[in-house]
Amino acid sequence: QVQLIESGGGLVQTGGSLRLSCAASPRTASIVYMGWFRQAPGKEREFVAMISWNGAHEMYPDSIKGRFTISRDNAKNTVYLQMNGLNPDDTSVYYCAAGSGSCARAYECDAWGQGTQVTVSS
């Protein structure tokens, strides 16, 4: 029932920045956590960031901290992923996801967006 729509992907140079958006429609009580994952061809889906709607609860893997920032806008039912200092290793399809108990592991997430491509040129 809930649809997640990502936007903001594209092609950037090494060292550049992108801001991804994920709009949830509609918001429901079951959506407590929203997260970002990425998956490159031939690789497993990788956790990038998670945030809760009801508090200041953000989570990142150690490899992401300091470069990527997840944020939310409750009025717009939208979460964002600000990505700075991009490098070619960040090239991937980025997926927005939502879960009721958590969404830091793929199996914890209940809904997924269609993905948006991020490509970082060398």
Side-chain angles (χ1 to χ4, degrees):
Q1 186 69 31
V2 175
Q3 289 210 359
L4 305 176
I5 302 176
E6 304 101 327
S7 62
L11 174 65
V12 297
Q13 299 176 357
T14 295
S17 298
L18 282 174
R19 191 187 195 194
L20 307 182
S21 299
C22 175
S25 181
R27 276 286 311 280
T28 69
S30 64
I31 299 178
V32 179
Y33 298 90
M34 297 188 69
W36 289 96
F37 292 77
R38 64 186 182 185
Q39 187 168 22
K43 296 185 177 180
E44 295 184 349
R45 192 159 295 189
E46 178 187 12
F47 171 69
V48 175
M50 185 182 73
I51 193 169
S52 68
W53 286 109
N54 300 318
H57 299 110
E58 298 84 37
M59 181 183 294
Y60 310 90
D62 290 340
S63 61
I64 293 296
K65 290 181 179 179
R67 291 198 302 128
F68 294 4
T69 302
I70 189 170
S71 61
R72 60 187 171 98
D73 186 334
N74 287 16
K76 296 181 178 180
N77 295 336
T78 300
V79 296
Y80 305 94
L81 184 68
Q82 179 67 46
M83 304 185 294
N84 300 322
L86 289 165
N87 60 70
D89 291 335
D90 296 316
T91 295
S92 188
V93 177
Y94 284 71
Y95 296 92
C96 178
S100 58
S102 184
C103 195
R105 299 185 182 186
Y107 64 81
E108 297 173 330
C109 308
D110 302 312
W112 294 87
Q114 82 285 357
T116 184
Q117 177 71 46
V118 172
T119 302
V120 185
S121 62
S122 302

